[in-house]
Amino acid sequence: MTRDVVSVRVIEDEMKDAYMAYAMSVIVGRALPDVRDGLKPVHRRILYAMHDLGMRHNTPYKKSARIVGEVLGKYHPHGDSAVYDALVRLAQEWNMSSPLIDGQGNFGSQDGDSAAAMRYTEARLAKISQELLLDLEKDTVDWSDNFDGSLREPSVLPSILPNLLVNGSAGIAVGMATNMPPHNISEVVQALIAYIKNSDISLTEILSLLPGPDFPTGGTICGRSGIYDAYSTGRGKIKLRGVIQREGDQRLVITEIPYQVVKADLVTQIAELVSEKRIEGIRDLRDESNRKGMRIVVELKRDAQPEIVENALFKYTRLQQTFGVINLALVNGQPKVLAIKELFFQYVSHRREVITRRTVYDLNKAEQRAHILEGLLIALESIDSIVALIKQSASSEIAREQLIASFSLSEEQAKAILDMRLSKLTGLEQEGIKKEHAQLLVAIADYKDILANPVRIDAIIVDELSHLQQTYPVARRTQISDDFEDIDIEDLIESEDMVVTISNSGYVKRLPVDTYHAQHRGGKGIIGATTKEDDFIEHLFVANTHAYLLFFSNRGQVYWKKVYHIPESSRTAKGTAIINLLGIEKGESISSIIAVDSFDSIRNLVFCTKNGIVKKTSLEEYSRPRSGGIHAIKLDSDDDLVNVVLTSGSDKLIFSSSQGYSLVCEESDIRSMGRFTRGVIAMKLRSKDVLVNVSVLQEGAELLTVTENGYGKRTALTEYPLQRRGGLGVKNIQTSSRNGLVVASRVVSQTDDLLLITQKGIIIRTKASEITVIGRNTQGVRIMRLNADDSLQALARIIVEENE
């Protein structure tokens, strides 16, 4: 009794070998294109099966299901969906620069729609596919057994068309991937011809003929450095943008999108970003694309700036994509990353081999035919003897043997003579045989000359490429712009000072400072905003368009915006509802605005509340507010945030109340706290008194105080003694029946221009130097003449340069 021998192998070795076998199967047999014809096996098998079925560009369409069945049953047993998906892609003009299949029916769309089932669609080879399959029957390529050994299939196609360059390829193998962009066929031909004529051609010369990829969906390639990298090394990053056209001032139309971007997904993405307010200024979005072309319409809001919206679309959506070029293809069955000249070399080498093998095939056929014709010519010269010999022979075999022996003929020649029809004996037929023989001798000499002369082979390649360019001309679809850096939105915004106003009902707008012309003290002013009867301008702020605006609400929240995000309006316009701009809660209003150019830990924000509370927190704590705002200060239920100022850490602060009291203290008296804290007492308030403001003292400046009845004054800061935080303060201005209560106070200098706002929306611009400087405990002078039903509401200052 014998015992079977069991082989033992370490599992790690078995797994390694099995995985490597799988990896190479995927790399060679499925995922990567052959550098010679630019096709993966499934694509090659589809084209060959259709060619074998006689499905030319000028024959009737046949059902896709029949083609899939033919490919599955004979060459590619990997599932019908894999074959049909590959067939569909070969017919999609937005994926293929030169589609290789002519489809009829629903083959999908650029919206990402799938093709109809294979039983509904029909297909045939596109005309250009003949340039891949031409001369296939002339032994121009190697053949291999199909999966079950019952049939033979081509290992590569002859491919006059430089398909890998023209149509590109994409695929993911095991541990590697290819992503080759399509190119313009005319430009590829020109570059290849130049390379054939001079194989030492420089990359600069190639780029002058083949400037870059040409995507079937158009678009614009931004910069040439990525193209240079891809052509010189086989790898590069190409930045691709869609095309936006402007129709008037308030409409953008997207007419081209980047390669392999799904249009429906792009529209959805834009809509989502508008909803999330990451892209602002868009009021409507619709897709008006049809058979005439792509047309995605972006309607802008009246106050939107088209440049900003356009740049935001490029920055945040798939309207700008990076195409990572990896020129990976199979060279002699091995994956290799190829520069552009290597791709040229591989294509030209393949075509040289194809033409050589085709010429050898044609030469053999010509020599065989010439040999037969030579026998026929011998027979015609001795036709009577040959006829007599044949008549005397007992059988055709004997006749053939006697012909060979009597006239020194080959077996093939003897057989041809025996098969010759009597019609060949006519004079015209005899002349035709002689003429054909003479032509064959010329052709044979030509074939031999081609095989002996590589220059002639290259000339044939050039002629065939020129034929391609003439037969299938294609205009460039993708434009190439010069190198550039990404444009920041702020680069499109002019740096200038703007007036930002907020009404009591929550309407915000901005407009240039020079809208308001300086007037003398006591003037009537101009209309600064149109408000509802029960609304009035409550806040006014001056800041540069590039500044960050921190909006602090009366409930202690802070919101973040840039000045240029505030819609610009006309002088008399009401503005935009701030609830739509900031997303503030119902019943919440803005009490203070701070403009900063950057956030740091050196500077502080000092808060003061209506009930006399002060808090100091590092500016850095407020650098990243969320879209819904963050906590700035913790407030009691009966308290409101009045004002916020920016300090250096060593400033002096002055607090002012509605009943005309002020207190000066050191900033250092206020300890620094976190964001969501309550703070400490700033100033003890008398009955019914509230804080109206906190300001930072400046050397040589005065405290400007204004009252609700249009009176005010400037007072030297030296008149206010330095006190400790938490005191009662000193008298600042008389709050008589003539003056009314204090509505605002600001530290100003003589060079400042001032803006005064009333409840009715009247604004006056005047110089601080025109307001009288008088002592603390006085009533002040009239600074603005008011109507009987109006009152002064707010104050802002404009810093004016001395040379203005």
Side-chain angles (χ1 to χ4, degrees), residues 38-51:
L39 296 171
K40 300 177 186 179
V42 63
H43 298 137
R44 188 180 302 113
R45 287 163 178 166
I46 290 171
L47 296 178
Y48 173 65
M50 296 176 72
H51 173 76

Side-chain angles (χ1 to χ4, degrees), residues 1 48 51 81 102 118 222 235 254 421 453 482 503 543 562 612 676 737 741 775:
M1 180 176 180
Y48 173 65
H51 173 76
S81 61
D102 178 11
M118 67 182 79
C222 303
R235 294 177 182 268
I254 301 170
R421 296 180 180 180
N453 190 353
D482 293 327
S503 75
K562 286 227 169 184
F676 196 48
S737 58
L741 295 175

Side-chain angles (χ1 to χ4, degrees), residues 271-335:
E272 289 175 349
L273 291 172
V274 172
S275 177
E276 294 169 3
K277 300 194 175 183
R278 291 186 62 190
I279 297 180
E280 298 181 336
I282 296 177
R283 66 176 178 84
D284 190 25
L285 176 69
R286 60 184 182 273
D287 185 0
E288 296 181 355
S289 305
N290 53 33
R291 293 183 179 180
K292 296 181 180 179
M294 181 173 297
R295 181 179 169 84
I296 303 172
V297 179
V298 180
E299 298 284 359
L300 305 182
K301 295 179 180 178
R302 185 174 56 183
D303 52 8
Q305 299 186 44
E307 297 89 352
I308 296 177
V309 177
E310 184 174 333
N311 198 62
L313 289 171
F314 287 134
K315 186 172 183 179
Y316 298 119
T317 75
R318 296 187 187 94
L319 203 57
Q320 177 174 295
Q321 292 281 89
T322 297
F323 188 95
V325 178
I326 308 175
N327 291 336
L328 181 68
L330 294 175
V331 180
N332 297 323
Q334 298 296 318

